[in-house]
Amino acid sequence: MEGSNQSAVTEFVLLGLSAHPKLEKTFFVLILSMYLVILLGNGVLILVTIHDSRLHTPMYFFLGNLSFLDICYTTSSVPLVLDGFLTPRKTISFSGCAVQMFLSFAMGATECVLLGMMAFDRYVAICNPLRYPVVMSKAAYVPMAASSWVAGGINSLVQISLAVQLPFCGDNVINHFICEILAVLKLACADISINVISMGVANVIFLGVPVLFISISYVFIIATILRIPSAEGRRKAFSTCSAHLTVVVIFYGTILFMYAKPKSKDPLGADKQDVSDKLISLFYGLLTPMLNPIIYSLRNKDVKTAVRYIVAQKRFTH
């Protein structure tokens, strides 16, 4: 360990698509376009939920938080990825890597909890509509949203604190576009079993528990909707939660696809699979934030009406 301490890592090299320089310009344009759509779509959604008093309800408060979270999540990594596509040697300082990991991890965990909170909101609205104003009062839904952020931040602080305490010596090349925590842990010259166990527990709490909670909520929601006698009533009830359900399916569906897809056993295809895994991980981080505002705009009359109203106001004032 004495020799390794002398060559302690102070920066990391991000491999990205270094082995495929021709692809970098293409993906730079593609990722930049997706990032701009994310900023525009979620930015508009935040402005609409703030400026239109008709949208000052728990559901749209959570939606505004989700949009802000998606902007923060992508901004914590996309600029680094874009810079990497343009820079021959892609490096990041040890502290910069820690900050980037903390932000990405915190935003991901917060989104899992927030989607669970939104499921509870839809459960109360559909299954107990008369009690909705009492149960989902401002004194309830603001602390609920705040607790999502706090829980995600604390979880990230624990995971990253454990990671940065590890000794890093020798190899400093991260086989990824960003400081992805699993890729970073592979470079540690020490036992990482505590980190793996800690992340496993966190995955159960922040992935497993919200999925279970959302699933149970929708079992009761669907059962309540099916008991509504008129087809029009059932359609209206389902339309109030269809956007959230679509976002949940995309968010968790992409996670399942990423971790459940089979690994290639062909050594000759290892490099291709390695590149595809990195690209899938990158696009997963952009897909949900990009689709969220589109889904909520297309499937929600209130949002579409509010956007048209604000646009009309702007035209009238000019």
Side-chain angles (χ1 to χ4, degrees):
M1 283 300 292
E2 288 181 7
S4 64
N5 284 336
Q6 293 173 2
S7 58
V9 171
T10 58
E11 67 174 17
F12 292 105
V13 177
L14 300 169
L15 202 58
L17 287 175
S18 300
H20 307 274
K22 291 182 180 179
L23 293 175
E24 290 189 321
K25 289 182 180 178
T26 303
F27 280 105
F28 175 85
V29 174
L30 184 58
I31 299 301
L32 178 60
S33 301
M34 293 177 72
Y35 182 51
L36 292 176
V37 170
I38 289 167
L39 294 179
L40 179 63
N42 287 287
V44 168
L45 212 50
I46 291 170
L47 289 174
V48 166
T49 55
I50 290 173
H51 288 295
D52 195 319
S53 59
R54 291 169 297 183
L55 301 183
H56 292 174
T57 63
M59 183 175 78
Y60 295 109
F61 179 76
F62 286 130
L63 180 56
N65 272 264
L66 185 64
S67 292
F68 180 66
L69 187 150
D70 284 339
I71 290 175
C72 292
Y73 178 74
T74 50
T75 302
S76 71
S77 58
V78 172
L80 180 65
V81 173
L82 294 175
D83 180 63
F85 285 143
L86 300 177
T87 309
R89 180 174 168 81
K90 310 156 182 62
T91 60
I92 184 172
S93 66
F94 189 91
S95 57
C97 186
V99 170
Q100 192 263 305
M101 284 193 297
F102 171 80
L103 292 173
S104 296
F105 218 92
M107 297 304 111
T110 301
E111 181 152 0
C112 291
V113 179
L114 197 58
L115 288 173
M117 299 289 188
M118 294 173 79
F120 178 73
D121 172 73
R122 292 299 82 208
Y123 162 76
V124 179
I126 292 172
C127 299
N128 295 284
L130 296 178
R131 297 195 62 207
Y132 183 75
V134 177
V135 176
M136 294 304 295
S137 64
K138 192 171 184 178
Y141 68 76
V142 171
M144 284 171 66
S147 66
S148 301
W149 289 88
V150 171
I154 291 173
N155 173 58
S156 183
L157 187 63
V158 170
Q159 305 304 329
I160 306 310
S161 295
L162 289 173
V164 298
Q165 288 177 32
L166 292 168
F168 292 90
C169 43
D171 189 11
N172 69 334
V173 179
I174 298 175
N175 189 18
H176 214 285
F177 297 100
I178 58 173
C179 287
E180 200 272 331
I181 192 165
L182 291 176
V184 172
L185 289 177
K186 288 178 182 177
L187 303 180
C189 46
D191 182 25
I192 61 169
S193 57
I194 293 176
N195 302 75
V196 173
I197 292 170
S198 177
M199 288 182 66
V201 173
N203 285 340
V204 170
I205 296 171
F206 288 92
L207 283 174
V209 173
V211 166
L212 182 63
F213 185 78
I214 291 168
S215 300
I216 293 171
S217 296
Y218 272 100
V219 167
F220 285 106
I221 288 170
I222 292 170
T224 302
I225 290 174
L226 292 176
R227 287 199 296 268
I228 298 173
S230 68
E232 180 65 17
R234 289 194 296 271
R235 189 191 65 79
K236 284 184 177 179
F238 185 72
S239 68
T240 64
C241 59
S242 59
H244 173 259
L245 185 58
T246 305
V247 167
V248 166
V249 169
I250 293 172
F251 181 76
Y252 287 105
T254 47
I255 292 177
L256 184 65
F257 173 77
M258 276 177 59
Y259 292 104
K261 66 188 182 69
K263 301 290 183 182
S264 174
K265 294 181 180 179
D266 180 11
L268 298 175
D271 181 56
K272 288 183 178 179
Q273 173 153 18
D274 188 45
V275 173
S276 68
D277 285 348
K278 287 189 288 186
L279 288 173
I280 288 170
S281 175
L282 176 61
F283 281 103
Y284 155 71
L286 296 172
L287 183 65
T288 307
M290 186 178 72
L291 292 180
N292 280 356
I294 296 172
I295 292 167
Y296 274 100
S297 298
L298 291 177
R299 302 185 69 88
N300 195 298
K301 289 181 180 178
D302 292 336
V303 173
K304 286 191 282 188
T305 302
V307 171
R308 283 196 293 264
Y309 178 72
I310 291 174
V311 170
Q313 272 192 324
K314 294 289 182 185
R315 286 178 180 173
F316 180 75
T317 54
H318 289 293

